[in-house]
Amino acid sequence: MIDLQQIHKTFGAFTALDHVSLSIPRGRMVALLGPSGSGKTTLLRIIAGLEHADGGTIRLDGQDATDLSARDRRIGFVFQHYALFRHMTVADNVAFGLKVRPRDSRPSKSEITDRVNTLLKLVHLDGLAGRYPTQLSGGQRQRVALARALAVEPRLLLLDEPFGALDAQVRKDLRRWMRRLHDDMGLTSVFVTHDQEEALELADDVVVMSQGRIEQIGTPADIYDNPATPFVYQFLGNATRLTATVQGGTAHLNGWQLPATAPDGPAVAFIRPHDWTLEDAATGANATLRHASVLGSSLRLDVTLQDGQDIEVDIRRDAGQAVPAAGSALRLTPNRVAVFPATA
Amino acid sequence: MTASPPLQTVQGAGHDPAPAPRRRSLLRRQVIPGFTLSMGITLGWLSLIVLIPLAGLVIRASGLPLDRWITVLTDTRLLAALRLSFGGALIAALINGVLGLIVAWVLVRYPFPGRKLIDAMIDLPFALPTAVAGIALSALYAPNGWLGSLLTPLGIKVAFTPLGAVVAMVFIGLPFAVRTVQPVLEDIDVELEEAAACLGASRRQTFWMVQLPTIAPALATGVSLAFARAVGEYGSVIFIAGNLPRVSEIAPLLIVTRLEQYDYVGATAIATIMLAASFALLLVVNILQKWNRDRQGGTR
Amino acid sequence: MSKRSLREHSATRLSLVALTVAIILLFLLLPLAQVLQQAFAKGPAVFWQSLQGEDTIAAIRLTLLVAAISVPLNLVFGLAASWAITKFDFPGKSLLVSLIDLPFSVSPVISGLIYVLLFGAHGFFGPWLIEHDLKIIFAVPGIVLATVFVTFPFVARELIPLMEEQGREEEEAALVLGASGLRTFWSVTLPNVKWALLYGVLLCNARAMGEFGAVSVVSGHIRGLTNTMPLHVEILYNEYDFVGAFAVASVLALLALVTLGIKSAVEWWHRDELAATRRH
């Protein structure tokens, strides 16, 4: 279990982490999700001991690790660009963490060889032990980096944008494989990503970060269904941002009266494209279709509301169903809306 | 964002209040080990070998009374020596600019048999000890030497004249010009000249209007480096120049002469002037290199 | 650059190539040939004999000694400086890099003079040294000091740009895997820069053995004692012993050629492991 309390870090005038606290229970896979500059990589590096926080404490398994050097933390770290030792073979890379142990705790040569072979088999690279990193593909390098990190039996595995440098198909395959590996080996993992899809698909818990602060922590379902802040709403899923006015617990928007907890005054409402119902326009149109496009099993409608705001609507489409013509009048009702006070 | 719903940043309960920020020194904050050791060696060695001895020269020079400075600086022998060192170096550097551009151009753009060998030879003046270059050039250009015997009938005297000093300065400066222009030429995009050709430029126009401006900063840097090297050059020049006071005597040699006469004041004064000139040149080179980087950076 | 559709006329190309070859032959190769021709002017026997002179042997020995002391010193310095400069962030870094490069822009004569002013008989520490019967100027320590000064930047300036390019991630990876700082340096950093290091040491050594101006000022030219090979060349030359002078010079020229050969081989075979500025 890792426990971070009030971690603070500045680089010159820039605040990378603003008193961040976070606990990660054993066995979980946690995603640190945020745009670049949100502090997620800095937080990861601080956990690893590759960066010292200006303030705050880190506890690993109940032990104060704040002043522990990276060397002594027993944490696995997979670097974004893998940081494989370029002059060592794959096997030597994986063996490195075992070979550098002090003599009394260092496994014997044959034990190291066995362990390396087991790990390479685990990451499906058993045929490539003698290769050099430059002779490997991106996905293979990534798995070498992983095997190298796992060789020291880390109590925690940290991954910095683990799939960032890979192309789309490899990324998908590795993602699934990674999740299985995590479960099979009973690891505790934290990975950094800016890809919300990756975070939601892979993680048990998602930590959404912005500007050095944690915006929300929760399961993927939590985060997606109940975003705590406008930032989370916009960062996860393409929600449309609309302006509204709140009066006495009701938000007024394009003629709809929507429940809202925000105080009276100008407000912003977030609605996801698939949270709309298309009704019979004969009962009173409130929007105009600008353009309709077919996206496989769904229909993407670019719509202008009566009050002039543009929205995106995704609705289910049955095969053979007619595509509405541009300019048609529509009647739309939002199913799910989140309203926040309109602040800067 | 301040009025948004409260952040739920901590899972679980019962955490201690915020701990007091820990004090960490600058050195403690480095993650990779060995900062103190490596920085200590670096600064210690730098001070011992370079900074303190150079400071010693400057301190000595600043201790000289004004009238001594005036005596030293108005010495016609010194003025002649400075004129040869700086003037000769300037001529040599400009020659190097032209030769260096041609050589770099050919090495980068025209594959021909033996190109790699020629390329490797460029660095010969870097690697060849200056004394060796000095006696070789002097033998070569002596009136009975391989080249001297060809030039003397034409009325051109090289050895034991100021021209000899320039020849030696060209020799030692050539690699600076070639090696600064070469990488820039290599990096020039073919598309650049293709674009110029498509726009109707002739080969000559493309060179003068597109390529030369692109490599100008690097060429200027190379010329400055060659100049800086030539100004301070000693070994290769003294054998060929003849070292006639007020005619073919270079400033570094005059420093040595003064030292041999135990005229420490004179030697210090000349050295200070030359050192100041070197620093000024260093500044120029730095500015030129920044110009070069900016120009190279702007195209990609 | 592979496409050559808009090239100069072949006549222009041919004359430019010819001009280049002429420049190289005339300016660079002819002096080299001159050295060999003069060295063997009276036959190989005289050449060989002139290398056997007692003073010549002493000069060769001193040159090797000076290089054997100053090159390792600058090697250690170069490694320390490039580690400090590329693996850490601190204010004043670019100033430090400029200061390390400083000896390259100082005239060799001045490089010698500064030590004379410090340690010479009339120098700052002169009286104290005389009192304690220590000799630096006109002795081997002065020659070593001057040589260290002129070769000071060689190793560092080859390593710094390369290590800057390589970044810190591999060292960080090694640390996270439990390696000590020394272990990280030996097994991760050093193997990554070994060719650049060899390159720098090679140039450093060539200059250390060939330095003339700086050493000339501090040496005192005492035959058999403080005469290095380049200084010995001068003495022989001034005594009109041309075969002797050029014989010693040819040994130095051979050293230069070997240096160039290894240097080109490193550039050719390991160009990826040199700093970008070295990859022609």
Side-chain angles (χ1 to χ4, degrees):
Chain A
M1 146 115 175
I2 57 175
D3 184 39
L4 308 176
Q5 282 296 315
Q6 302 288 326
I7 297 293
H8 194 72
K9 175 76 179 174
T10 55
F11 294 105
F14 175 72
T15 302
L17 290 172
D18 186 5
H19 299 96
V20 168
S21 299
L22 177 69
S23 293
I24 296 166
R26 197 181 276 284
R28 304 289 273 188
M29 187 164 210
V30 176
L32 299 180
L33 174 67
S36 55
S38 59
K40 55 192 193 307
T41 295
T42 307
L43 186 60
L44 199 73
R45 289 173 61 85
I46 285 176
I47 298 173
L50 292 173
E51 211 89 64
H52 287 303
D54 300 335
T57 53
I58 303 164
R59 301 181 77 81
L60 295 170
D61 299 325
Q63 164 205 10
D64 185 354
T66 314
D67 289 325
L68 212 57
S69 75
R71 209 188 146 191
D72 300 319
R73 288 196 189 186
R74 215 159 55 76
I75 285 179
F77 198 102
V78 176
F79 289 80
Q80 185 176 2
H81 301 290
Y82 320 132
L84 296 178
F85 305 128
R86 62 195 97 189
H87 63 281
M88 293 183 202
T89 60
V90 166
D92 287 337
N93 262 284
V94 176
F96 185 85
L98 300 170
K99 284 185 185 165
V100 299
R101 284 202 185 156
R103 202 173 293 276
D104 50 334
S105 61
R106 192 190 308 158
S108 73
K109 261 208 170 91
S110 63
E111 281 171 324
I112 292 181
T113 314
D114 287 349
R115 178 123 185 86
V116 168
N117 287 337
T118 314
L119 278 162
L120 287 180
K121 211 165 278 168
L122 183 76
V123 299
H124 307 303
L125 288 174
D126 23 344
L128 303 179
R131 296 267 189 100
Y132 285 89
T134 46
Q135 302 168 310
L136 302 178
S137 72
Q140 289 170 334
R141 284 181 210 181
Q142 217 261 3
R143 283 179 279 153
V144 176
L146 195 62
R148 184 178 70 177
L150 292 175
V152 296
E153 294 173 326
R155 51 180 156 192
L156 176 66
L157 183 64
L158 303 177
L159 308 103
D160 186 8
E161 295 277 5
F163 313 105
L166 303 172
D167 51 48
Q169 189 51 48
V170 181
R171 187 186 299 211
K172 268 211 159 91
D173 295 344
L174 261 178
R175 218 139 82 179
R176 294 215 181 93
W177 172 80
M178 178 85 173
R179 178 69 224 198
R180 245 197 339 264
L181 190 76
H182 169 91
D183 294 335
D184 292 350
M185 295 190 71
L187 300 170
T188 308
S189 326
V190 179
F191 68 97
V192 154
T193 180
H194 63 267
D195 180 347
Q196 44 122 346
E197 193 189 313
E198 192 169 288
L200 296 181
E201 181 187 324
L202 209 54
D204 298 313
D205 299 297
V206 177
V207 178
V208 186
M209 297 187 67
S210 164
Q211 298 179 359
R213 302 168 61 119
I214 294 178
E215 294 274 322
Q216 189 174 7
I217 301 173
T219 63
D222 254 0
I223 298 261
Y224 192 81
D225 294 343
N226 302 305
T229 67
F231 174 83
V232 180
Y233 231 116
Q234 278 189 307
F235 196 70
L236 275 98
N238 48 340
T240 312
R241 184 180 191 272
L242 296 167
T243 55
T245 318
V246 176
Q247 211 163 39
T250 307
H252 299 268
L253 168 58
N254 195 40
W256 299 301
Q257 320 247 313
L258 308 161
T261 52
D264 286 3
V268 287
F270 290 93
I271 308 173
R272 293 224 157 89
H274 51 79
D275 282 336
W276 293 95
T277 310
L278 191 60
E279 291 169 334
D280 188 359
T283 58
N286 55 11
T288 314
L289 180 67
R290 278 184 292 122
H291 178 77
S293 39
V294 176
L295 302 174
S297 62
S298 70
L299 200 56
R300 157 74 47 90
L301 306 177
D302 291 332
V303 175
T304 304
L305 295 177
Q306 222 155 34
D307 67 359
Q309 304 195 66
D310 289 338
I311 59 166
E312 248 174 36
V313 177
D314 284 348
I315 52 172
R316 229 181 81 82
R317 171 180 168 273
D318 297 320
Q321 186 184 323
V323 178
S328 343
L330 305 172
R331 179 177 175 82
L332 288 165
T333 312
N335 303 332
R336 232 186 127 80
V337 188
V339 181
F340 299 96
T343 46
Chain B
M1 211 164 284
T2 42
S4 51
L7 294 180
Q8 168 221 341
T9 52
V10 177
Q11 292 180 325
H15 285 295
D16 307 327
R22 295 177 190 226
R23 275 172 166 271
R24 296 196 181 90
S25 73
L26 181 74
L27 298 183
R28 278 279 289 103
R29 207 174 288 152
Q30 307 283 7
V31 169
I32 297 176
F35 180 72
T36 317
L37 179 68
S38 60
M39 196 49 123
I41 293 176
T42 305
L43 290 180
W45 201 228
L46 180 71
S47 309
L48 228 54
I49 294 295
V50 179
L51 299 184
I52 294 173
L54 278 177
L57 174 70
V58 175
I59 289 168
R60 267 211 180 223
S62 64
L64 293 185
L66 191 64
D67 56 324
R68 290 302 299 273
W69 272 106
I70 292 170
T71 327
V72 171
L73 290 180
T74 51
D75 177 10
T76 53
R77 185 174 171 188
L78 171 64
L79 293 179
L82 287 175
R83 198 178 309 128
L84 179 57
S85 273
F86 284 88
L90 184 65
I91 295 168
L94 293 177
I95 294 174
N96 274 327
V98 177
L99 296 185
L101 179 58
I102 295 171
V103 172
W105 182 273
V106 168
L107 286 179
V108 170
R109 298 168 64 101
Y110 308 146
F112 61 92
R115 181 170 69 156
K116 290 213 71 65
L117 197 66
I118 296 278
D119 196 344
M121 292 309 297
I122 298 292
D123 284 327
L124 185 70
F126 276 153
L128 197 68
T130 53
V132 178
I135 63 168
L137 290 172
S138 141
L140 210 51
Y141 288 95
N144 59 349
W146 289 350
L147 291 176
S149 58
L150 299 176
L151 294 172
T152 312
L154 304 173
I156 305 172
K157 282 184 70 180
V158 178
F160 318 124
T161 68
L163 186 57
V166 175
V167 166
M169 288 169 173
V170 171
F171 175 82
I172 50 118
L174 187 63
F176 289 94
V178 178
R179 292 300 187 217
T180 34
V181 175
Q182 206 174 5
V184 180
L185 266 179
E186 266 164 10
D187 280 353
I188 291 189
D189 210 326
V190 201
E191 280 183 9
L192 210 61
E193 49 195 282
E194 287 174 349
C198 291
L199 293 168
S202 71
R203 190 70 209 93
R204 194 179 297 259
Q205 284 171 319
T206 306
F207 175 76
W208 285 106
M209 297 168 67
V210 177
Q211 284 158 321
L212 194 60
T214 312
I215 53 178
L219 192 58
T221 308
V223 168
S224 313
L225 287 171
F227 178 70
R229 173 71 202 263
V231 164
E233 181 54 22
Y234 177 70
S236 57
V237 176
I238 57 163
F239 292 98
I240 193 176
N243 308 329
L244 209 63
R246 294 191 178 81
V247 177
S248 58
E249 183 182 53
I250 53 168
L253 177 63
L254 195 55
I255 297 179
V256 175
T257 311
R258 293 280 186 256
L259 263 183
E260 280 168 357
Q261 297 161 343
Y262 299 104
D263 178 5
Y264 282 48
V265 172
T268 305
I270 306 171
T272 311
I273 296 167
M274 300 206 63
L275 198 64
S278 299
F279 287 171
L281 267 170
L282 199 63
L283 198 68
V284 171
V285 168
N286 274 325
I287 293 168
L288 285 173
Q289 268 166 344
K290 190 181 168 328
W291 180 30
N292 190 13
R293 269 198 305 276
D294 291 350
R295 174 133 323 168
Q296 297 315 310
T299 57
R300 40 205 65 221
Chain C
M1 286 256 239
S2 54
K3 267 166 78 185
R4 292 281 187 276
S5 52
L6 308 156
R7 283 282 161 259
E8 296 76 26
H9 287 300
S10 55
T12 319
R13 297 178 58 167
L14 209 65
S15 47
L16 281 174
V17 171
L19 186 58
T20 296
V21 173
I23 291 169
I24 303 301
L25 283 179
L26 200 69
F27 277 100
L28 304 184
L29 285 185
L30 216 51
L32 204 60
Q34 181 77 77
V35 172
L36 291 178
Q37 191 265 337
Q38 294 273 0
F40 288 96
K42 292 180 183 158
V46 181
F47 165 82
W48 192 241
Q49 201 185 356
S50 59
L51 282 181
Q52 310 281 325
E54 207 177 304
D55 293 342
T56 307
I57 299 279
I60 294 175
R61 209 172 271 152
L62 178 61
T63 295
L64 292 176
L65 174 71
V66 169
I69 299 172
S70 48
V71 172
L73 284 177
N74 277 335
L75 170 71
V76 171
F77 166 77
L79 285 171
S82 43
W83 181 266
I85 285 167
T86 60
K87 301 300 169 196
F88 304 98
D89 295 311
F90 54 89
K93 191 188 275 194
S94 56
L95 176 68
L96 182 59
V97 174
S98 310
L99 288 177
I100 289 173
D101 249 0
L102 203 56
F104 274 170
S105 32
V106 174
S107 170
V109 169
I110 298 177
S111 314
L113 172 72
I114 53 176
Y115 293 108
V116 175
L117 293 180
L118 278 187
F119 303 118
H122 302 278
F124 190 75
F125 296 111
W128 187 88
L129 288 170
I130 291 170
E131 203 174 297
H132 292 79
D133 205 17
L134 294 171
K135 228 170 147 49
I136 291 183
I137 298 306
F138 303 152
V140 176
I143 297 175
V144 171
L145 274 176
T147 305
V148 169
F149 182 95
V150 295
T151 56
F152 193 77
F154 276 105
V155 177
R157 68 155 32 194
E158 290 306 326
L159 293 184
I160 290 171
L162 178 67
M163 284 166 68
E164 199 75 66
E165 266 173 48
Q166 290 181 338
R168 301 171 193 174
E169 275 205 348
E170 284 184 46
E171 282 79 13
E172 287 177 347
L175 290 174
V176 173
L177 289 169
S180 66
L182 205 61
R183 180 66 190 244
T184 303
F185 177 75
W186 271 112
S187 346
V188 175
T189 310
L190 210 51
N192 278 344
V193 300
K194 58 176 183 285
W195 293 111
L197 188 65
L198 173 68
Y199 196 101
V201 165
L202 213 61
L203 297 181
C204 182
N205 180 62
R207 181 74 194 265
M209 291 190 170
E211 177 53 29
F212 177 75
V215 171
S216 166
V217 171
V218 295
S219 138
H221 307 270
I222 309 163
R223 276 175 176 247
L225 279 180
T226 63
N227 239 8
T228 62
M229 285 167 79
L231 298 181
H232 198 55
V233 168
E234 184 194 21
I235 287 188
L236 294 173
Y237 187 81
N238 288 342
E239 288 170 351
Y240 302 103
D241 178 1
F242 292 134
V243 170
F246 279 100
V248 179
S250 68
V251 175
L252 287 169
L254 184 70
L255 167 77
L257 287 178
V258 170
T259 303
L260 280 188
I262 304 178
K263 175 176 168 294
S264 304
V266 171
E267 272 170 12
W268 186 236
W269 297 109
H270 301 282
R271 69 177 74 190
D272 294 345
E273 296 169 57
L274 297 177
T277 49
R278 283 293 179 197
R279 291 174 207 145
H280 305 309

